[in-house]
Amino acid sequence: MSDAVPKPSRKRAPGREAFALGGETVEAGTSATIDLPISRLSTRTEITMPVRVLHGSKPGSTLFVSAAVHGNEIVGVEMIRRLLKNVSVKRLAGTLLCVPVVNAYGFTAHSRYLPDGRDLNRVFPGSERGSLAAQLANVFTEEIIARSDYGIDLHSAGTNRENLPQIRYSPGNDKASELADIFGAPAIVESPLRAGSLRQTADEAGCTMLLMESGEALRFDEFAIRVGVRGILRVMSHLGMGVRKQPAPAAPAVRSDGSRWVRAAQGGIFRANKTTGSMVQEGEEIGSISDPFGDHDIPVTAPLTGLIIGRSVMPVVNQGDALAHIARVKVPGTADARLTAIEEAAADDPLFDEDEIM
């Protein structure tokens, strides 16, 4: 570790036990960065999963915030960096575990995957003696999920796609539903658990988890970052973790209980006339596909009334390509006004990139 990285303190704050992680301990009222060993490259370079531990002097919940499970989804890395500028360990109640880069292999290679070609978010809870992906998932499961009461996992859309900032949670999980409202993202989507996902493993471990989707791969999105940082702080405030009370969301989120992708009926050039965050009516035209000469336009229409929560940013498409992700909206009447209010509030938010430690 460099001199700039906090190291475990030897001082003990009275009344609370030290937090143990990866064979090291962090005393109450202090913070430290602990590198969890993962493996070595063929060059003997050690690969670790760095975790910033903020262990408050007061008892409270343990919350993990993670990013870059998919290595090319980097917007959450910046959210965690800014979050850490706005949390004081001296005032913290409970414990905050920040893991900005879960998949270091994919992060350095600008890739979604691990070197073995596996998607890390399909192999949880992993195995101590399995594939590289399984071993990494096992470390995260045993060291992070198993020690946490709550979790927020930060993702973005894949390559050549973009997502509206949104929170996903498991159907039937009332506690997660409540936290989703408090977070204050533009959209909340009930999303079934996927086998092998981090979210499913957390659910089975009794760790209440939110998943945030926003922005696109290998890009920072300022709107998404502001929504994410403010949302995490709202959740921490609600959990009584000793952060300053946050302003309420500018408007209730647009809620959805399901979604559907619109796909290209044929290959060609797709010209969208609706963007992410647009409300659309069933049968409404959201774009068209033509050949390069523009001789034949095929309209692309919305199959349901809802909110565009994701879309392709690639104009050149093949038959079957996903074009737009539409979430069915429970109460569409005021959705446009609510989305506008949330967007304007994020633009005016004074929480930028400056230290605002309480």
Side-chain angles (χ1 to χ4, degrees), residues 45 58 111 133 248 261:
T45 302
K58 302 173 185 176
S111 170
W261 275 99

Side-chain angles (χ1 to χ4, degrees), residues 62-184:
T62 298
L63 168 72
F64 78 78
V65 183
S66 56
V69 166
H70 295 133
N72 63 347
E73 298 180 8
I74 65 171
V75 69
V77 179
E78 176 65 5
M79 291 181 198
I80 291 176
R81 189 188 73 82
R82 296 194 196 183
L83 172 68
L84 287 167
K85 298 284 188 182
N86 287 273
V87 176
S88 167
V89 71
K90 293 179 181 178
R91 294 191 57 179
L92 185 68
T95 304
L96 176 65
L97 307 177
C98 290
V99 194
V101 181
V102 177
N103 176 4
Y105 301 93
F107 185 74
T108 54
H110 303 167
S111 170
R112 176 185 180 90
Y113 303 105
L114 285 151
D116 60 6
R118 287 179 169 84
D119 183 334
L120 180 59
N121 211 24
R122 299 293 179 268
V123 297
F124 279 89
S127 167
E128 191 175 358
R129 298 183 180 180
S131 66
L132 176 61
Q135 291 183 40
L136 176 52
N138 178 70
V139 170
F140 193 92
T141 299
E142 296 300 322
E143 296 285 3
I144 306 300
I145 295 175
R147 287 173 162 80
S148 300
D149 305 303
Y150 300 92
I152 300 174
D153 190 29
L154 306 169
H155 288 257
S156 76
T159 305
N160 297 325
R161 293 180 181 175
E162 67 175 11
N163 280 337
L164 179 75
Q166 62 200 256
I167 290 294
R168 300 183 183 179
Y169 75 98
S170 310
N173 190 326
D174 293 339
K175 190 181 295 184
S177 177
E178 178 187 11
L179 293 181
D181 277 324
I182 288 160
F183 193 100

Side-chain angles (χ1 to χ4, degrees), residues 144-230:
I144 306 300
I145 295 175
R147 287 173 162 80
S148 300
D149 305 303
Y150 300 92
I152 300 174
D153 190 29
L154 306 169
H155 288 257
S156 76
T159 305
N160 297 325
R161 293 180 181 175
E162 67 175 11
N163 280 337
L164 179 75
Q166 62 200 256
I167 290 294
R168 300 183 183 179
Y169 75 98
S170 310
N173 190 326
D174 293 339
K175 190 181 295 184
S177 177
E178 178 187 11
L179 293 181
D181 277 324
I182 288 160
F183 193 100
I188 298 172
V189 183
E190 287 185 14
S191 179
L193 293 169
R194 186 187 290 268
S197 67
L198 189 161
R199 189 158 60 97
Q200 182 192 53
T201 298
D203 188 80
E204 291 174 350
C207 174
T208 300
M209 206 191 99
L210 302 179
L211 184 145
M212 184 184 186
E213 288 276 2
S214 63
E216 58 182 299
L218 298 174
R219 299 287 185 273
F220 283 172
D221 180 309
E222 186 63 26
F223 172 52
I225 292 166
R226 293 186 183 200
V227 169
V229 175
R230 187 63 78 189

Side-chain angles (χ1 to χ4, degrees), residues 332-354:
T334 61
D336 275 328
R338 284 181 280 155
L339 288 166
T340 299
I342 292 170
E343 216 168 300
E344 290 176 348
D348 293 338
D349 196 335
L351 180 63
F352 292 106
D353 190 15
E354 303 299 325

Side-chain angles (χ1 to χ4, degrees), residues 194-332:
R194 186 187 290 268
S197 67
L198 189 161
R199 189 158 60 97
Q200 182 192 53
T201 298
D203 188 80
E204 291 174 350
C207 174
T208 300
M209 206 191 99
L210 302 179
L211 184 145
M212 184 184 186
E213 288 276 2
S214 63
E216 58 182 299
L218 298 174
R219 299 287 185 273
F220 283 172
D221 180 309
E222 186 63 26
F223 172 52
I225 292 166
R226 293 186 183 200
V227 169
V229 175
R230 187 63 78 189
I232 297 166
L233 289 170
R234 285 194 188 104
V235 169
M236 292 182 67
S237 176
H238 176 76
L239 295 175
M241 294 187 69
V243 300
R244 182 185 302 164
K245 183 175 174 60
Q246 301 297 306
V254 176
R255 274 192 170 265
S256 170
D257 59 2
S259 62
R260 181 173 169 184
W261 275 99
V262 182
R263 296 187 177 275
Q266 69 171 44
I269 310 299
F270 176 59
R271 300 184 310 281
N273 54 32
K274 296 288 184 180
T275 189
T276 306
S278 298
M279 282 294 301
V280 294
Q281 300 295 315
E282 183 176 352
E284 183 178 357
E285 186 172 317
I286 62 173
S288 60
I289 298 174
S290 69
D291 62 28
F293 298 103
D295 292 334
H296 303 285
D297 279 357
I298 297 178
V300 177
T301 59
L304 72 165
T305 296
L307 173 68
I308 298 180
I309 59 171
R311 71 181 185 103
S312 170
V313 296
M314 276 288 288
V316 181
V317 300
N318 294 309
Q319 183 173 318
D321 280 357
L323 304 178
H325 193 191
I326 303 177
R328 181 171 51 248
V329 173
K330 293 183 177 181
V331 186

